[in-house]
Amino acid sequence: PYETKEKEIEGYVFLKEEYPRNATGIFTEETIVVNYYYKKVSKVIVQYIDVITGEFVSEEIEVNGDRGDSYNTIPKDIPGYVLVEEKYPENADGTMDEEEEKVYYYYVREAKVEVKYVDKETGKELAEEVIIEGKEGDSYKTEEKEIPYYKVDEVENGPKGTMKVIVTKDKDTGEEIID
């Protein structure tokens, strides 16, 4: 007697409905051919990437299916990040092929500039602070405020620049601290 079994083959799925009738049997003088049929699994990998650092900002997603199946991917809402609409993937939706497809969604960190108006000697705030919101890499420009009996003496960090996000790690927990 003989007995055969299907194998696990990476990237393929065994077609159970095509299970060979002669998977087990008795040897004869003639050659016995046992065919196991497989189908290649189509795969779409969705990745979420920081456009500035190139690092992943979320776990990738793997979508499996059959060749010819349609797929639809969507961006994630990732706290502290904004989707870069200008780099929206053309292949966000499509049809699965034999080749692995990769879909990249690019994100940039949210950023802000706090503008404070302070008496240089006392440290007292003289006017309400202004918050300029944007994304890392955006340009910003601050404006002087007319405050009675005061003149601008110094503008720390300059009146204009590029928004940056400063990331440090907590020495005890290792968690990111964003400034």
Side-chain angles (χ1 to χ4, degrees), residues 79-143:
Y81 284 89
V82 177
L83 180 68
V84 179
E85 295 285 344
E86 304 82 48
K87 294 183 77 73
Y88 199 88
E90 290 181 13
N91 64 342
D93 303 320
T95 303
M96 291 187 171
D97 198 339
E98 285 188 18
E99 299 299 317
E100 179 178 285
E101 182 82 25
K102 288 201 176 185
V103 178
Y104 303 105
Y105 285 98
Y106 291 96
Y107 292 81
V108 65
R109 284 191 189 268
E110 296 172 326
K112 67 181 175 180
V113 174
E114 296 175 354
V115 184
K116 296 184 179 196
Y117 303 91
V118 181
D119 182 303
K120 190 173 184 176
E121 291 184 21
T122 66
K124 177 184 172 194
E125 289 199 27
L126 303 171
E128 188 175 326
E129 82 176 7
V130 173
I131 304 288
I132 302 171
E133 294 187 0
K135 302 178 297 261
E136 187 173 17
D138 284 353
S139 296
Y140 70 88
K141 182 177 182 200
T142 63
E143 295 181 8

Side-chain angles (χ1 to χ4, degrees), residues 33-176:
V33 177
V34 180
N35 290 316
Y36 287 91
Y37 293 96
Y38 294 81
K39 177 172 56 173
K40 186 169 177 80
V41 176
S42 295
K43 186 186 301 187
V44 176
I45 307 282
V46 186
Q47 296 180 333
Y48 306 90
I49 302 169
D50 184 308
V51 73
I52 293 174
T53 66
E55 295 177 5
F56 293 115
V57 295
S58 183
E59 292 283 322
E60 70 181 23
I61 294 175
E62 187 175 299
V63 180
N64 292 311
D66 294 329
R67 186 173 49 142
D69 286 353
S70 62
Y71 70 88
N72 301 0
T73 66
I74 57 172
K76 287 183 178 181
D77 286 328
I78 302 172
Y81 284 89
V82 177
L83 180 68
V84 179
E85 295 285 344
E86 304 82 48
K87 294 183 77 73
Y88 199 88
E90 290 181 13
N91 64 342
D93 303 320
T95 303
M96 291 187 171
D97 198 339
E98 285 188 18
E99 299 299 317
E100 179 178 285
E101 182 82 25
K102 288 201 176 185
V103 178
Y104 303 105
Y105 285 98
Y106 291 96
Y107 292 81
V108 65
R109 284 191 189 268
E110 296 172 326
K112 67 181 175 180
V113 174
E114 296 175 354
V115 184
K116 296 184 179 196
Y117 303 91
V118 181
D119 182 303
K120 190 173 184 176
E121 291 184 21
T122 66
K124 177 184 172 194
E125 289 199 27
L126 303 171
E128 188 175 326
E129 82 176 7
V130 173
I131 304 288
I132 302 171
E133 294 187 0
K135 302 178 297 261
E136 187 173 17
D138 284 353
S139 296
Y140 70 88
K141 182 177 182 200
T142 63
E143 295 181 8
E144 292 181 15
K145 276 191 178 184
E146 296 233 358
I147 301 173
Y149 311 109
Y150 285 91
K151 68 176 181 135
V152 175
D153 182 51
E154 176 185 343
V155 179
E156 190 177 294
N157 298 319
K160 61 183 177 179
T162 303
M163 291 186 177
K164 295 179 183 137
V165 176
I166 301 168
V167 180
T168 56
K169 293 205 183 229
D170 182 284
K171 65 179 180 174
D172 297 325
T173 66
E175 289 186 36
E176 286 188 349

